[in-house]
Amino acid sequence: MSDHLHNALRQPVQRHPEGYLRNGLTHRRALSALGWQYWRCLLIPAVMALLSLQANAIIPVTYTAAPEQLTWQAPDITAWGDPAAEPGGVFRLSIAAKPTTLRRFGPQTPNQLSPLLADLQLPLLARHPDNGSPVPMLAARWAVADHRITYQLHDAARWSDGIPITSQDIAFTLQFLSDPANQTPWQAQSLSHFIRGIEVHDTQRFSLITTTPVTSQSLLQISALKAMAQHFYQPNLQWPRQYDWRPEPTSGPYHLTEVIPSERLLVSRIRPWWGDNLPAFGHRFNAQQIRIRFSKNLQDSYLQLQRGDQDILPLHNQKNWNSPLITQLLGQRPVARYRHYFQGNPSLTALLINHQQLQPASRKPGLTLIHAGVTNNSPLLQQQQEAFKNQGYQIQRQALDHDALLERLKTGNFELAWITLDGLESADASDYLAWLTQHYPAAHHIEVKQDQTQPQASQYLAWQWVKLPSWLGMRYSNDLFNPFAATTGGMFWIDQRLKTNALARTAKFSTNQTFINDTYQTDPDIGLGDDTVSAIRPFQPARLNE
């Protein structure tokens, strides 16, 4: 553990006259702290050593009475989950990962687990998945005044280990992430862009002091902050090494209950959970357990699904969507394809061209394109490949694991690189790429070409016992089968009787099932092909107790 954090935690705990804690640094919730998803931060370790933040950049904490005459906002919310959803069952999925830590911050992060770990925590507020307005999450209500946002946490909010969630957890989070000693430079820079201080008023109320007047957009960006459990970080444990495989307490409805490194995770539903009766979570987060297997590749995941050992398979591109293997399985087994077009938070891709590494085609005609995972047959990539071909180059693709890709990008040892930035608005992605490339050695040699032509659609193959609402997903549902996301996750449920009959082959099922919701398709000209589909009715909100 850093000396700064170690010494702070050894100090006597002071108490305010009203009885709340006054002592506190912050820990690592960063990536999740401002809600940035894994791929946005994928390249952060490549520039960590190049950032230098001064000690006085640590966000200050003060203890004051709450402002008077606040105009609180606490909108009425109707549940957007499906009242037909059934609780219980086990949901099984896989991710192509061999994580080396459960930490979301510090060395060896971010990694493929980072988005999952972030989604286990609730933000203060979140964007409504249909109309985009702020929705209470960890905070029950809020008030905005110029350079200040005041929040009041839910009285019932608890960490997964039963400890109350308090304002002091928020202060701890901000200070840890802004402390240069804790090796979270991107998170520190993101926080300092929005927040210049926190005022703790009591155990439930606090104010974030902002760097600029609060707008509707910055309110949501700042409120994506996810608290970290201060009591979890002990002075007798060394940061970061001794936290590598310690599951941290969660504020959401699930927590890690089994960890087998390099093999699998088991995530279990907390019942009862403090948020069960809140409308924003109604009819969602239905599965009792989520079993996450670390797979070698997509082919390995396909074989697991074919055997009935996995419930879903992502079909991220048209080639996989129309694969003969998928078509054959659709005709033989009770599985279905799902495609849901969404708006906002697109998955942006970009080509990085390192002109310093390029040589004339007459001297070196071969170029290597490095990437992690699939390249999705991007029109931009095809266009650029054709342009290089016309110049006399030949492009070979080299698939790397994420750590190897990071190392190549960190050292500038690449000619062409293909990266994906998930969960970002276009402006955010542009800002991030500009920030990233300006920290490269010889950054002026790096050209970034963004591809924003990819259709915004979530595509899956799933067994029919995994049920979705008839409308599939919401306007901003960018991942139909995300089990944990605060506003768009956990929409599915398991029909356990149907699963038993399907595996025993004791019932008849419809085959060749494809469901598409194109209600939110923003550009009909950027399509994924024509299909015979079942009709999708629009989402209709339902009251929690209906």
Side-chain angles (χ1 to χ4, degrees):
M1 182 175 293
S2 70
D3 291 340
H4 195 147
L5 179 59
H6 179 79
N7 293 335
L9 291 178
R10 291 186 61 185
Q11 295 174 5
V13 175
Q14 306 174 33
R15 292 190 178 272
H16 186 273
E18 295 180 12
Y20 57 87
L21 291 172
R22 290 196 62 180
N23 183 42
L25 267 182
T26 318
H27 177 207
R28 58 223 204 19
R29 173 110 297 167
L31 210 252
S32 70
L34 283 179
W36 312 126
Q37 297 202 6
Y38 163 56
W39 281 102
R40 172 171 193 164
C41 299
L42 173 64
L43 307 175
I44 300 308
V47 297
M48 275 187 172
L50 301 175
L51 290 175
S52 58
L53 297 175
Q54 301 300 317
N56 60 10
I58 297 175
I59 293 176
V61 181
T62 57
Y63 298 83
T64 66
E68 297 180 357
Q69 298 180 339
L70 291 173
T71 303
W72 289 105
Q73 299 183 54
D76 291 332
I77 301 297
T78 58
W80 52 85
D82 193 333
E86 302 173 2
V90 178
F91 180 65
R92 304 161 303 165
L93 69 156
S94 66
I95 59 175
K98 287 187 178 180
T100 56
T101 180
L102 290 180
R103 290 182 292 98
R104 290 175 294 115
F105 318 110
Q108 297 178 307
T109 67
N111 55 52
Q112 296 98 316
L113 273 183
S114 295
L116 181 151
L117 297 172
D119 282 342
L120 292 175
Q121 311 291 345
L122 291 180
L124 296 170
L125 309 174
R127 178 175 62 175
H128 191 286
D130 189 54
N131 61 36
S133 62
V135 174
M137 292 275 122
L138 195 58
R141 58 180 186 167
W142 70 96
V144 175
D146 195 28
H147 286 73
R148 173 190 297 269
I149 311 172
T150 302
Y151 301 89
Q152 180 170 326
L153 301 174
H154 282 283
D155 292 340
R158 297 290 186 274
W159 295 108
S160 53
D161 57 8
I163 303 297
I165 301 174
T166 70
S167 300
Q168 190 60 33
D169 291 312
I170 306 296
F172 178 79
T173 305
L174 292 176
Q175 286 202 313
F176 183 90
L177 295 178
S178 60
D179 185 348
N182 296 324
Q183 304 177 66
T184 57
W186 168 249
Q187 291 83 358
Q189 178 163 307
S190 297
L191 288 170
S192 66
H193 179 73
F194 290 104
I195 300 171
R196 58 184 176 89
I198 176 172
E199 296 178 0
V200 177
H201 308 308
D202 53 40
T203 55
Q204 255 68 51
R205 293 180 298 170
F206 62 93
S207 295
L208 298 181
I209 311 305
T210 62
T211 57
T212 59
V214 180
T215 65
S216 58
Q217 180 179 359
S218 66
L219 171 65
L220 284 172
Q221 291 175 307
I222 294 169
S223 300
L225 181 74
K226 297 181 178 181
M228 302 161 65
Q230 181 182 10
H231 68 276
F232 176 69
Y233 304 99
Q234 302 298 318
N236 61 329
L237 295 178
Q238 184 180 19
W239 168 264
R241 181 177 57 83
Q242 290 183 289
Y243 289 87
D244 279 347
W245 295 104
R246 292 189 72 211
E248 62 180 323
T250 61
S251 56
Y254 289 93
H255 67 129
L256 280 164
T257 51
E258 182 182 65
V259 178
I260 302 180
S262 301
E263 187 176 334
R264 67 178 183 270
L265 301 176
L266 180 64
V267 187
S268 299
R269 181 66 155 85
I270 301 168
R271 297 188 191 276
W273 175 55
W274 66 267
D276 280 334
N277 295 322
L278 297 178
F281 307 118
H283 314 302
R284 296 196 293 133
F285 309 120
N286 302 294
Q288 182 58 36
Q289 291 185 336
I290 312 292
R291 294 180 182 173
I292 303 167
R293 174 180 169 272
F294 303 139
S295 67
K296 299 176 182 177
N297 48 43
L298 187 63
Q299 178 67 19
D300 179 45
S301 297
Y302 169 80
L303 294 175
Q304 290 287 323
L305 180 132
Q306 187 183 43
R307 290 195 294 265
D309 295 330
Q310 183 172 311
D311 293 319
I312 61 169
L313 183 73
L315 303 174
H316 292 316
N317 57 48
Q318 186 66 3
K319 183 177 180 180
N320 289 339
W321 178 268
N322 290 324
S323 165
L325 290 175
I326 301 301
T327 303
Q328 182 180 18
L329 204 59
L330 280 169
Q332 296 176 349
R333 307 298 292 275
V335 296
R337 288 185 304 183
Y338 298 92
R339 176 187 294 158
H340 174 74
Y341 289 92
F342 61 87
Q343 295 178 7
N345 289 340
S347 175
L348 298 183
T349 50
L351 177 67
L352 274 61
I353 304 173
N354 189 349
H355 290 283
Q356 191 176 42
Q357 294 288 324
L358 297 185
Q359 298 185 29
S362 58
R363 293 179 55 188
K364 186 184 176 185
L367 291 180
T368 300
L369 171 73
I370 61 173
H371 62 93
V374 297
T375 54
N376 289 334
N377 296 316
S378 159
L380 170 67
L381 192 57
Q382 294 176 1
Q383 177 187 8
Q384 291 299 309
Q385 184 167 332
E386 188 65 26
F388 278 112
K389 182 179 178 181
N390 292 337
Q391 297 175 38
Y393 291 104
Q394 296 178 351
I395 295 180
Q396 296 179 338
R397 300 188 184 188
Q398 181 182 3
L400 303 174
D401 62 38
H402 298 291
D403 290 339
L405 179 65
L406 286 174
E407 184 63 26
R408 296 281 292 275
L409 293 169
K410 178 175 63 176
T411 60
N413 182 22
F414 69 95
E415 296 168 326
L416 305 174
W418 186 252
I419 61 174
T420 302
L421 307 172
D422 285 339
L424 298 181
E425 302 290 353
S426 298
D428 291 334
S430 299
D431 291 344
Y432 172 69
L433 287 174
W435 175 85
L436 171 70
T437 54
Q438 74 181 4
H439 288 91
Y440 273 114
H444 57 282
H445 292 290
I446 304 296
E447 180 182 3
V448 178
K449 292 182 177 291
Q450 287 192 46
D451 180 10
Q452 301 185 30
T453 64
Q454 295 294 317
Q456 295 174 206
S458 175
Q459 300 184 151
Y460 278 93
L461 181 73
W463 287 94
Q464 292 181 24
W465 61 68
V466 184
K467 298 294 186 179
L468 284 169
S470 57
W471 55 89
L472 300 190
M474 309 295 289
R475 181 183 303 274
Y476 301 118
S477 295
N478 59 1
D479 187 347
L480 285 178
F481 290 102
N482 184 314
F484 311 123
T487 58
T488 59
M491 297 282 287
F492 60 87
W493 67 97
I494 307 297
D495 188 325
Q496 299 180 74
R497 179 178 298 179
L498 190 63
K499 179 178 179 179
T500 300
N501 292 338
L503 292 176
R505 303 192 179 188
T506 58
K508 293 184 178 180
F509 295 87
S510 300
T511 57
N512 295 309
Q513 295 288 294
T514 295
F515 300 91
I516 296 179
N517 183 356
D518 60 2
T519 304
Y520 308 113
Q521 186 176 6
T522 56
D523 189 349
D525 292 331
I526 306 177
L528 290 169
D530 296 326
D531 302 277
T532 301
V533 304
S534 299
I536 301 297
R537 67 179 179 86
F539 160 71
Q540 297 292 334
R543 290 284 178 183
L544 179 62
N545 297 321
E546 280 191 9

